[in-house]
Structure formats: C-alpha cells, structure tokens
Amino acid sequence: MKKETILTTGGRDPDRFDGAVNVPVFHASTIAFASVAQMEARYLTRFDVPYYGRSGTPTTLALERAVAEAEGAQFGISASSGLAAICGTLLALLKPGDHLLMVDSVYHPARVFCDRVLTRFGVETTYYDPLVVDGLRALVRPGTRVVFCESPGSLTFEVQDIPAIAKVAHDAGALVVLDNTWASPLYFAPFQKGVDLSIQAATKYIGGHSDIMLGTITTNDRALYEGIKETLNLFGYATGSEEAMLALRGLRTLSVRLERHARNALEIARWLEMRPEVERVLYPALESDPGHLIWKRDFTGASGLMGVVLNPASAQQVARMVDGMRLFTLGFSWGGFESLILVTTGHIDRTARPWTSQGPTFRLHVGLENVTDLIDDLQSGFDRLGVP
Ligand SMILES: *Cc1c(COP(=O)(O)O)cnc(C)c1O
C-alpha cells in the first residue's frame, strides 16, 4: 500500500471496538489481569500489549503501530514530546565512554542535552558539519556508537546525504538515528536510506493542529525497540491517551495538509527569493538551494518550514516587521495549520560549520491560509522593515 493509504488505515481495528472507526481514548492506569498466570504471560508481551498505563494503553499502542507503518518500520514507540524521544533514545543507546557524532544543525535543545547532560554521564559528543561525507570517516572513533542526523537541519536547513552517512556509520559499527520531523513520515522513507532509528516530533505535522506535545521513535530492530521502550518507561516518559488520539486524528489528514503546506511554501519561497530585502531563502525545494539535488534524489516532497536570510537590517527594523504581522504569528513549534514566524538571528549555534551570513534570519512556517493573504502579510512586513 502507498503512504496516503497507510496513513488512513494504520493502527485501526474496528472489530475490537464494536465497529467504531477510530480507536477510543483509553483513560487507563490500571490494567486488570484475569489470573496470576495471565499476569505473568502478559509480562512477557509487555512491549506490545497493555500491561500498565505508563507503558501503554490501546490508544498509545495504536498510534505507535500507525506511525511505524507510515515510516515503513515494524516497531514504534511514543514519548511525551519530541525532545523526550530524542533524549530517551540517546540515553538508551549510550553508556559512559561512548562517543556520539551529532550533526551541527541539530534541534537546539538536543544540543543542550548533549552538552549539559550526556557529558555528566561520560558520553562525549563531537559535532559534525551537516554537509560532510568523506570527512565524517575521520571523526569516527572506536567508541562511536551513534551518528545522529537531522535533515534538513533546524534553522539552517542543510540537506544531509543520509545514505552516504549511513555507509560511514555502519562501516564503523555505529547506529544512525535521524530526526525526520521536517519531512514527516510522508516525504522521507528513513529505512530505505540506511537509517536505524527515526524520530518524529509528533507535536509538529503529525498532530498538525498546535494542540499536543508528543514524540515517536520507529525502527525495524526488535532489540533496539525493546531497549528504548524500556528506557523511556524507566524514565517515566509516558504518553497520554488523549494526546495519542489527537496524533492519530492528525495522521489521517497528514497527506492533504502537507500537500497544501508545500504548495503555499513553494510559492512563498519563490516570492521571497525575488525580494530585494532577501539575501537567501533556505528551502530545499527551491532549485537555487544548495541541497536541492539531494533533496530531489531522496525526498518525495517538501513541507512548509523554511529559513530566510535578510540583507543587513537593524534589530529595530526587524522588530517593526515582525510585531506588525497579522497572519504569521510569532512563536515556536510549527507543523500546525497556522503560519508562524520566528526571529532566529543570534540563535544559530554552530561549532563545526560556523554560520557566516551577516543579515537577520527568520524561520517561517507556511500554514494553510490563502497564499495571497500570506504574501500580503509579508509584503506589509517588508514595508515596515523599510529596507533597502
Ligand atoms: C520541535 C522539534 C523537536 C522537539 O519536539 P517537542 O515535541 O517540541 O519536544 C525535535 N526536533 C525537531 C526538528 C523539532 O522541530
């Protein structure tokens, strides 16, 4: 079955729920057992069936199955946020003395986690240039256990050559973990490109309505699945059933939403490129983007998130532009139905590949509004910016 179909069928089981099309929201902490023997038998299958509310309810297990199917994996895990999925995965895979190769363009809180938490557990992190391939081999050490990727990267949108990176990682006996949030399960097939574990901040496009916090991890490796699920459970990173149901609901419409996000985003990216205020648009679906060829080779679509580098302007000019926006709301997160703007100047934290552009930077999430209205909003913003 094709992705769009899987998104509508995954995790559903009407026969189990008196014909109800959707999996009900199970509010459950206690799972009751019929006998001591059943309780013991259930323990052996605790990764896959409800055993205790913290480890999963029928609703969260349905979401895990659905996201796994959508990403082309056998096993899925959910966590209380995207960041919990990232940090829980790293804590499950790494031990003192291990070495982590972390992409320089990673989602910033994950970087802070490596620097402040993993260091305390004796795990050393080396940041690598997202665009490196051959150079990565030189950074690998005997203790390198994980190569973490995010493509395109947060804020700067470099597209990584995942198959080539996976080759280097696997030659060194390391695992490849990918933050696949930008592409969603729809536009990048991680397990066909050499990825071992794929992470989604389901808070973003899977939820799709800016109303939940949730993360997922998928894999085809049963041992990795059990190890990570157990670690998350031991940290108490439980997923709420209400959240899981909203994520399942989001999955059902992901393909139509993303189509519109992409269409609007490409039109806006092309419009921005022509503006005199704009130095560069960071969006791999643009032919002018340095990552365009790899994006075209490896992805089947683009989402609605992009970066914009302006020609030099003062902080006051930027504030005037942003403060007056009517449709592009100033805020974090993204992936919901609405358009967002974020000033990222000074927030691009890079050590392996320094960020050299001088002008102010933005991140735009292009929502489902009418694209002409969105362009009008940006046009007025540039009028307030008043440059050049
Ligand atoms: C938002 C985001 C996360 C974190 O997800 P939360 O659910 O907000 O914790 C991780 N990775 C990427 C790429 C993100 O954009």
Side-chain angles (χ1 to χ4, degrees):
M1 280 194 296
K2 303 279 189 289
K3 284 271 177 83
E4 293 82 355
T5 311
I6 292 170
L7 288 172
T8 67
T9 57
R12 286 174 46 199
D13 196 356
D15 292 347
R16 257 179 81 198
F17 306 118
D18 289 340
V21 165
N22 288 296
V23 181
V25 180
F26 281 83
H27 290 282
S29 54
T30 303
I31 304 295
F33 307 104
S35 64
V36 172
Q38 194 207 38
M39 183 175 160
E40 284 170 0
R42 278 282 190 104
Y43 178 76
L44 300 175
T45 56
R46 68 193 181 284
F47 292 106
D48 308 303
V49 298
Y51 181 72
Y52 179 55
R54 191 178 58 228
S55 59
T57 70
T59 321
T60 65
L61 288 160
L63 171 71
E64 291 166 0
R65 278 198 305 280
V67 175
E69 272 189 65
E71 286 206 301
Q74 275 179 278
F75 308 107
I77 304 165
S78 59
S80 47
S81 69
L83 190 61
I86 294 172
C87 301
T89 298
L90 292 174
L91 286 167
L93 298 178
L94 297 162
K95 61 180 188 313
D98 281 351
H99 177 234
L100 164 67
L101 276 172
M102 175 55 91
V103 66
D104 208 23
S105 49
V106 71
Y107 177 66
H108 195 257
R111 186 181 186 107
V112 177
F113 174 80
C114 294
D115 295 345
R116 300 211 190 137
V117 181
L118 286 186
T119 44
R120 288 199 280 119
F121 290 91
V123 174
E124 200 184 328
T125 302
T126 302
Y127 293 96
Y128 68 91
D129 178 348
L131 300 178
V132 81
V133 175
D134 293 331
L136 195 62
R137 232 173 259 282
L139 298 176
V140 169
R141 303 181 197 163
T144 305
R145 171 92 175 114
V146 174
V147 178
F148 193 103
C149 307
E150 182 184 329
S151 180
S154 275
L155 307 188
T156 45
F157 298 90
E158 295 91 343
V159 180
Q160 296 193 264
D161 190 342
I162 300 293
I165 289 171
K167 173 89 176 60
V168 175
H170 292 155
D171 285 352
L175 293 166
V176 178
V177 182
L178 170 72
D179 184 330
N180 197 27
T181 305
W182 183 88
S184 90
L186 200 59
Y187 291 152
F188 186 84
F191 303 101
Q192 292 171 16
K193 308 286 179 206
V195 169
D196 299 296
L197 288 150
S198 176
I199 291 173
Q200 290 285 341
T203 304
K204 309 288 169 55
Y205 281 124
I206 292 178
H209 294 76
S210 306
D211 52 7
I212 58 167
M213 300 297 302
L214 204 70
T216 61
I217 304 141
T218 58
T219 185
N220 279 316
D221 185 312
R222 176 88 206 178
L224 289 176
Y225 162 69
E226 290 191 0
I228 294 168
K229 199 161 195 181
E230 176 156 68
T231 300
L232 290 176
N233 189 31
L234 289 171
F235 274 100
Y237 289 171
T239 308
S241 291
E242 202 82 54
E243 259 63 19
M245 186 278 277
L246 288 169
L248 278 165
R249 170 186 282 208
L251 268 186
R252 306 306 178 207
T253 59
L254 183 67
S255 66
V256 281
R257 284 186 286 111
L258 274 187
E259 230 172 87
R260 174 67 80 84
H261 282 295
R263 180 146 46 91
N264 282 358
L266 189 61
E267 194 165 335
I268 284 182
R270 294 216 163 106
W271 181 82
L272 285 168
E273 261 196 318
M274 307 304 287
R275 294 289 311 188
E277 296 87 354
V278 172
E279 184 204 301
R280 221 152 34 105
V281 180
L282 315 172
Y283 188 59
L286 283 178
E287 292 78 2
S288 61
D289 190 278
H292 183 69
L293 288 181
I294 294 182
W295 170 78
K296 222 168 136 175
R297 184 193 69 187
D298 290 350
F299 291 69
T300 52
S303 62
L305 194 73
M306 68 181 75
V308 185
V309 184
L310 296 188
N311 289 311
S314 72
Q316 285 100 319
Q317 284 175 297
V318 169
R320 216 164 50 219
M321 173 181 169
V322 172
D323 290 351
M325 302 302 283
R326 286 173 301 116
L327 296 175
F328 283 88
T329 308
L330 176 62
F332 294 109
S333 203
W334 50 271
F337 51 83
E338 83 285 21
S339 289
L340 294 170
I341 188 166
L342 190 67
V343 184
T344 56
T345 320
H347 292 274
I348 300 174
D349 188 1
R350 297 286 181 274
T351 49
R353 170 178 278 263
W355 180 252
T356 52
S357 287
Q358 297 301 306
T361 50
F362 291 92
R363 189 184 70 188
L364 293 183
H365 179 249
V366 178
L368 305 177
E369 301 89 346
N370 181 287
V371 72
T372 310
D373 290 337
L374 293 177
I375 288 175
D376 285 349
D377 199 24
L378 290 168
Q379 169 78 62
S380 309
F382 285 139
D383 292 346
R384 287 189 301 279
L385 185 80
V387 280

